[in-house]
Amino acid sequence: MELPDKIYQIKSYLVDNEFPEDVEAAVILGSGLGDFSTTIDEPFSIPYNQIPGFPHTTVVGHSGELFTGTVKGHRIIAFSGRFHHYEGHPLSTTVLPVHLAKAFNAKKLIVSNAAGAINTRFNVGDLMVIDDIFRVFQKISPIEDQPFRYNLEPIADKVRAIASQIGMEVQRGTYLFSKGPNYESKAEIRAFRMMGVDVVGMSTAPELIEASRINLPAAAISLVTNMAAGVLKQKLDHSEVKAAAESRKEDFAKLVNELIDRL
């Protein structure tokens, strides 16, 4: 699979600076989930702003570092922070972590995010395995005129099975990609619920679509950090992300560690 030239240039820089040539898995950490990096054995990191050709992340809750190390004996890379389309990045930049994972010959990609719950049966703090994507009829792939199919259900089945084996209850459902950066209106949330959407967020879908296109197996987990507009009678606040992530950080790390080992 041919990747953009700059991806190989970035990899070359990283390998020259103590990163391995190959990894078993890559992890993209969403808002508030960067504490996963503390569970990596023999960690080494480089700030994004020190990597030539690497964009910067500007979102609260994203430290902006690229980690390497081991998890359960498997060599990994972990992106503590991502690049959102609403920050002004083109779609080709939002999928840079996916391309870099492929360049490092990762066998699996694990993507996480903070999301708002549309499904009224969900609660703040729930972990949800994504088994489908809703795109609101907008383009989310950087590739033009190259049709392809994606199917998240088989890997979602495996994730649910692994979670069950370690005694962890997780939800499962459809993730709606919203460009942002504003939260959705109450009317939009009501409409999305009628269309079968379970959670909404501003990332992840472009990464999963691109991973599918380049044949990189990818699993995705949403942490419900708030109820979407109109579900509860309270104002939405980004500070909720940190509180929800703090409450589930150990469970999240445990699940990701097992996925790296077993998926």
Side-chain angles (χ1 to χ4, degrees), residues 206-229:
E207 296 154 332
L208 293 177
I209 293 289
E210 184 64 2
S212 177
R213 187 186 73 84
I214 64 175
N215 297 314
L216 174 58
I221 303 166
S222 292
L223 170 64
V224 175
T225 54
N226 59 274
M227 306 307 288

Side-chain angles (χ1 to χ4, degrees), residues 88-156:
H89 295 299
L91 289 168
S92 57
T93 296
T94 67
V95 301
L96 182 149
V98 180
H99 289 163
L100 197 56
K102 187 72 171 181
F104 274 96
N105 300 309
K107 297 180 177 64
K108 67 195 79 169
L109 173 68
I110 300 165
V111 185
S112 66
N113 62 66
I118 294 175
N119 188 327
T120 56
R121 295 192 300 272
F122 289 4
N123 296 298
V124 171
D126 281 354
L127 294 172
M128 189 199 84
V129 181
I130 298 175
D131 65 11
D132 209 350
I133 294 169
F134 198 104
R135 293 174 285 180
V136 200
F137 314 112
Q138 59 186 313
K139 180 180 182 294
I140 63 173
S141 172
I143 305 303
E144 300 282 357
D145 303 322
Q146 188 176 338
F148 60 94
R149 292 185 179 276
Y150 66 92
N151 183 4
L152 300 174
E153 290 190 4
I155 202 162

Side-chain angles (χ1 to χ4, degrees), residues 44-255:
F44 174 75
S45 68
I46 300 179
Y48 289 172
N49 60 14
Q50 293 183 15
I51 303 173
F54 227 71
H56 300 171
T57 182
T58 63
V59 181
V60 174
H62 293 246
S63 69
E65 291 180 87
L66 181 57
F67 284 83
T68 189
T70 61
V71 170
K72 289 183 172 287
H74 302 293
R75 182 67 62 180
I76 72 160
I77 54 174
F79 299 83
S80 186
R82 54 156 52 90
F83 318 110
H84 300 81
H85 195 38
Y86 70 73
E87 294 177 89
H89 295 299
L91 289 168
S92 57
T93 296
T94 67
V95 301
L96 182 149
V98 180
H99 289 163
L100 197 56
K102 187 72 171 181
F104 274 96
N105 300 309
K107 297 180 177 64
K108 67 195 79 169
L109 173 68
I110 300 165
V111 185
S112 66
N113 62 66
I118 294 175
N119 188 327
T120 56
R121 295 192 300 272
F122 289 4
N123 296 298
V124 171
D126 281 354
L127 294 172
M128 189 199 84
V129 181
I130 298 175
D131 65 11
D132 209 350
I133 294 169
F134 198 104
R135 293 174 285 180
V136 200
F137 314 112
Q138 59 186 313
K139 180 180 182 294
I140 63 173
S141 172
I143 305 303
E144 300 282 357
D145 303 322
Q146 188 176 338
F148 60 94
R149 292 185 179 276
Y150 66 92
N151 183 4
L152 300 174
E153 290 190 4
I155 202 162
D157 289 340
K158 294 178 182 178
V159 173
R160 281 288 297 270
I162 291 170
S164 177
Q165 289 162 13
I166 62 175
M168 188 178 298
E169 182 178 351
V170 296
Q171 303 284 4
R172 176 174 180 164
T174 298
Y175 177 93
L176 181 142
F177 171 72
S178 174
K179 179 181 176 181
N182 59 296
Y183 288 116
E184 299 69 36
S185 70
K186 295 178 182 179
E188 288 171 328
I189 294 300
R190 288 196 299 271
F192 296 152
R193 185 180 299 117
M194 293 177 65
M195 290 187 285
V197 172
D198 296 292
V199 301
V200 57
M202 304 174 190
S203 65
T204 301
E207 296 154 332
L208 293 177
I209 293 289
E210 184 64 2
S212 177
R213 187 186 73 84
I214 64 175
N215 297 314
L216 174 58
I221 303 166
S222 292
L223 170 64
V224 175
T225 54
N226 59 274
M227 306 307 288
V231 179
L232 299 177
K233 294 181 179 180
Q234 63 187 52
K235 183 180 178 180
L236 300 181
D237 191 325
H238 192 73
S239 64
E240 295 172 306
V241 172
K242 184 176 180 180
E246 182 69 22
S247 72
R248 293 305 301 272
K249 66 180 182 181
E250 292 183 4
D251 288 336
F252 172 76
K254 181 179 179 181
L255 179 57

